[in-house]
Amino acid sequence: MALSHELILIYTTYFVATASPGPSNMAIMGTAMKKGRGAALALASGVISGSMMWALLAACGVLTVLATFAQLLIVLKIGGGLYLLWLAFKAGKSALRRPDANEFSASGDKVAFARLFRQGILMHVGNPKAILTWVAIMSVALKPDAAASTLPMIIAGCATICVLVFCGYALLFSTAVMAAFYHRIRRGLDALLACCFAVAGLKLVFSRS
């Protein structure tokens, strides 16, 4: 019974953290409305892969070692913050650009999908909060008295939540209704994305905790 309560707490916490508005979710929403379902799923797949990479490293105890070295976390924070500021710059340029006839043409080439997948990974890998989140989760999973099934259940459950949330955003915001809505609010949404990325990036760069 105690194990089930711990799992429910972990799953609930992870769902709230994953589904809450943030740079990754905002990027997936914007990509879904602008470039369509395939592009959004490619970006979401990168975010999911980055999250699961941290999960596997945490399960191996690597993140616990990383978390003890403040210098490494600072490097990750600055790197992740600068990348978000770069995304803010690109979104800001898009917001200032006037729409043209070819702006909403579908882009289904493999290079675009690969680029979006890499962007998703970089957004999540460069987020030190993901390290601390998984360190906290694994502090439950790797207790000396924890059952052998605890760790696989936590990783599998969180992976399922991760896929449902991020792919759910990609599917929901890539509908025809949302695409039509994007046509009307494109510049405003890009400006909002620029602000979101800029705030998150500056917070990472200048945060001391």
Side-chain angles (χ1 to χ4, degrees):
M1 185 65 68
L3 175 60
S4 63
H5 287 166
E6 288 180 343
L7 288 175
I8 291 174
L9 177 61
I10 289 173
Y11 293 158
T12 302
T13 302
Y14 189 74
F15 173 78
V16 171
T18 303
S20 299
S24 297
N25 288 335
M26 293 291 293
I28 291 172
M29 293 176 196
T31 300
M33 289 187 282
K34 182 177 182 179
K35 297 184 178 180
R37 182 168 300 167
L41 287 174
L43 180 61
S45 297
V47 174
I48 294 166
S49 298
S51 180
M52 290 303 101
M53 185 199 76
W54 286 136
L56 293 176
L57 289 176
C60 296
V62 175
L63 295 193
T64 303
V65 176
L66 283 178
T68 62
F69 293 94
Q71 294 86 350
L72 292 177
L73 287 179
I74 290 174
V75 170
L76 278 175
K77 287 168 66 176
I78 293 176
L82 292 176
Y83 183 68
L84 288 176
L85 290 175
W86 166 246
L87 294 180
F89 172 72
K90 292 177 64 178
K93 283 182 61 178
S94 178
L96 295 174
R97 188 180 67 246
R98 292 182 180 276
D100 57 70
N102 299 320
E103 181 177 359
F104 300 106
S105 59
S107 177
D109 58 297
K110 294 181 180 179
V111 175
F113 289 162
R115 177 177 55 79
L116 287 165
F117 180 77
R118 288 195 301 271
Q119 177 181 328
I121 292 179
L122 289 173
M123 287 178 64
H124 213 76
V125 168
N127 183 5
K129 289 183 179 179
I131 297 179
L132 301 179
T133 297
W134 278 108
V135 168
I137 289 175
M138 290 306 161
S139 67
V140 176
L142 301 179
K143 286 181 178 178
D145 58 344
S149 61
T150 303
L151 180 58
M153 289 173 66
I154 288 177
I155 293 180
C158 290
T160 301
I161 293 170
C162 196
V163 170
L164 290 176
V165 169
F166 291 124
C167 290
Y169 277 124
L171 295 176
L172 176 63
F173 284 86
S174 61
T175 60
V177 173
M178 296 305 299
F181 180 61
Y182 176 80
H183 280 242
R184 297 195 297 270
I185 66 161
R186 194 272 300 170
R187 299 182 74 179
L189 180 61
D190 284 342
L192 178 61
L193 284 172
C195 291
C196 179
F197 290 145
V199 170
L202 291 172
K203 186 176 181 180
L204 282 178
V205 171
F206 293 106
S207 174
R208 296 185 179 182
S209 57

